[in-house]
Amino acid sequence: MMTLSVVEVRNVSKRYGPTVALRGVSLELEAGRVLGVLGPNGSGKSTLMRLMAGLSQPSAGQIRILGEKPGPSTRARVAYVPEVDCLYPSLRVEEMLDLQARFFADFDRTQAAELLEFMHLTPRAAVRSLSKGQRARLKLILALARRADLILLDEPFSGIDPPSRERILQGILATHRGDRSLILSTHLVREAEKLFDRVVFLSKGEIFLAGDAEALRQERGMSIEEIFREEYN
Amino acid sequence: MKPVADFDERRPIYLQIVELICRRVARGELPPGARLPSLRDLSQEMAVNPNTVQRAYQELERLGVAATKRGQGTFVAEIPDLVARLRRELAVRAANNYLRELESLGFSPADALRFLAERTKEGDDDLVGGGSTERK
């Protein structure tokens, strides 16, 4: 049986001037699977996510997203949530959703309304009045409510209180469909451990360990979090 | 919303879901022919990826504990001796765990048997109530 690769990264490197952010990175993800991109800060996670989102170009190597070179046409089918805040403080929550709906044809208003309720956000609330955890949840809704084939979440848990993390995790699970793939980068492995089908471990821009999450647990008798701690100590 | 199961993340999660369901079947909570929860429902209930639940269901099928009817879902297999078989397997596993634990403490299988006989003589009430708190 042929499985369709949603993401194909082949021997990709990325330099910023003299700095090498990624070196010879390869990975592949089939439809419907969840991949964890793990590594400490500065290991190249965000660079890799931006490349897959089509927001920057690799210096060497090849990337295919849904069979295409990342660019405007893949961006319409990929929902990318950067770690940095991308919300407009002067808008209300519902206006932020309106704006997203205007940008992306696949934005599902019904799903967004359900997610707002699930994530305990008020449509009338001003974005500027939201806590950090609430902002993180709103950012996530903007992505999860899209009928995108691939969702890229860059560090969705960092700097957020545990109850918000739990909500975010539940929101991801509640909206996961068999035909949608998800890539989540994080250095907080514990919160996301149970989401992953596959994991790649990045260090200094290189993948040094990759595999099936359950197989890694079986082989090592350790949780992904414990492997993470061991590998980076 | 609270996950019903606390998983030991040092072991494959799908195998723990398999064990959980086998135990429910052995206890009679999920009788033969009962429909297992949908992938989506169980994955949300347990806060795990639906693919992990699917893997657990595939393993249950491989073990002959569950069967998938196309378009209808996954059901506990309707095999006459399924419950008896699972009860026995789980009992054997519990016995092995007990023996292993006692062995690690330096007791022989004969000692293990003697302890069990003593414990059983002390009466049912004591067994249920006192068994796990004795060491404290």
Side-chain angles (χ1 to χ4, degrees):
Chain A
M1 193 180 76
M2 272 272 292
T3 41
L4 175 75
S5 282
V6 171
V7 177
E8 277 182 66
V9 175
R10 295 236 179 283
N11 209 16
V12 159
S13 298
K14 178 68 180 176
R15 297 167 173 280
Y16 295 104
T19 315
V20 181
L22 287 177
R23 195 195 305 265
V25 166
S26 296
L27 61 88
E28 208 166 313
L29 188 67
E30 315 93 278
R33 301 285 157 181
V34 181
L35 171 73
V37 175
L38 313 178
N41 290 327
S43 56
K45 302 190 298 292
S46 293
T47 303
L48 179 58
M49 298 296 271
R50 285 179 54 81
L51 290 175
M52 293 188 289
L55 297 173
S56 72
Q57 300 301 315
S59 314
Q62 238 195 15
I63 299 182
R64 286 287 174 276
I65 302 293
L66 303 155
E68 289 180 73
K69 207 173 159 192
S73 72
T74 63
R75 284 206 289 273
R77 299 169 67 191
V78 175
Y80 165 68
V81 184
E83 188 183 0
V84 295
D85 205 324
C86 50
L87 302 172
Y88 295 101
S90 60
L91 297 183
R92 294 181 190 281
V93 167
E94 57 192 358
E95 291 168 332
M96 206 59 232
L97 300 182
D98 290 340
L99 192 65
Q100 186 79 343
R102 231 173 303 151
F103 272 117
F104 296 102
D106 62 358
F107 192 74
D108 180 342
R109 301 303 301 247
T110 316
Q111 174 98 78
E114 281 172 24
L115 279 168
L116 274 187
E117 205 180 320
F118 182 76
M119 300 269 196
H120 302 308
L121 289 173
T122 322
R124 304 286 299 162
V127 168
R128 92 160 34 84
S129 72
L130 300 181
S131 71
K132 200 163 181 197
Q134 288 170 324
R135 297 168 81 94
R137 280 178 266 158
L138 178 55
K139 264 165 64 179
L140 192 80
I141 291 171
L142 295 178
L144 291 183
R146 284 184 53 194
R147 297 183 177 281
D149 297 306
L150 173 65
I151 299 200
L152 301 170
L153 305 176
D154 196 8
E155 291 279 4
F157 303 113
S158 85
I160 293 157
D161 56 292
S164 278
R165 286 180 193 166
E166 186 66 25
R167 273 281 139 184
I168 285 175
L169 201 67
Q170 293 284 355
I172 293 171
L173 282 170
T175 53
H176 188 77
R177 304 187 320 253
D179 56 350
R180 176 193 261 185
S181 313
L182 175 75
I183 302 181
L184 189 153
S185 84
T186 188
H187 66 282
L188 299 163
V189 181
R190 189 190 178 81
E191 353 292 303
E193 160 130 12
K194 286 185 285 182
L195 270 184
F196 302 139
D197 291 303
R198 315 242 183 282
V199 286
V200 297
F201 290 75
L202 273 174
S203 178
K204 296 181 182 129
E206 292 182 74
I207 291 178
F208 67 93
L209 178 64
D212 176 280
E214 297 276 59
L216 283 169
R217 289 185 186 107
Q218 179 92 61
E219 279 161 29
R220 302 206 178 194
M222 290 162 88
S223 66
I224 302 301
E225 191 208 4
E226 286 170 328
I227 297 173
F228 183 86
R229 269 189 281 151
E230 189 178 84
E231 295 292 345
Y232 292 106
N233 265 339
Chain B
M1 263 320 129
K2 238 188 131 190
V4 288
D6 263 331
F7 293 110
D8 172 5
E9 278 138 6
R10 294 186 188 93
R11 294 173 50 225
I13 290 161
Y14 79 99
L15 288 180
Q16 297 177 63
I17 298 175
V18 166
E19 287 161 15
L20 214 86
I21 289 173
C22 284
R23 216 166 285 136
R24 283 185 192 171
V25 174
R27 287 199 201 110
E29 293 165 13
L30 279 172
R35 191 174 188 278
L36 296 179
S38 71
L39 297 183
R40 171 170 286 268
D41 286 350
L42 198 61
S43 80
Q44 282 188 54
E45 189 190 330
M46 297 188 164
V48 300
N49 177 332
N51 299 325
T52 308
V53 179
Q54 188 177 36
R55 205 152 160 179
Y57 281 13
Q58 281 167 358
E59 181 65 11
L60 285 166
E61 279 186 54
R62 204 185 61 79
L63 295 169
V65 175
T68 297
K69 294 180 193 168
R70 201 166 294 169
Q72 294 178 61
T74 306
F75 297 80
V76 178
E78 296 188 76
I79 302 169
D81 63 348
L82 176 69
V83 176
R85 193 188 99 202
L86 284 178
R87 285 181 67 213
R88 200 185 144 67
E89 277 173 20
L90 290 169
V92 167
R93 191 178 301 180
N96 286 342
N97 286 343
Y98 169 68
L99 287 173
R100 215 172 301 132
E101 171 75 10
L102 263 77
E103 196 190 352
S104 79
L105 295 169
F107 291 112
S108 70
D111 292 330
L113 240 129
R114 196 163 41 77
F115 284 139
L116 270 186
E118 279 168 23
R119 296 295 299 150
T120 321
K121 250 182 270 161
E122 282 164 29
D124 281 348
D125 288 352
D126 194 48
L127 253 184
V128 173
S132 59
T133 53
E134 201 197 11
R135 263 180 291 173
K136 283 186 188 166

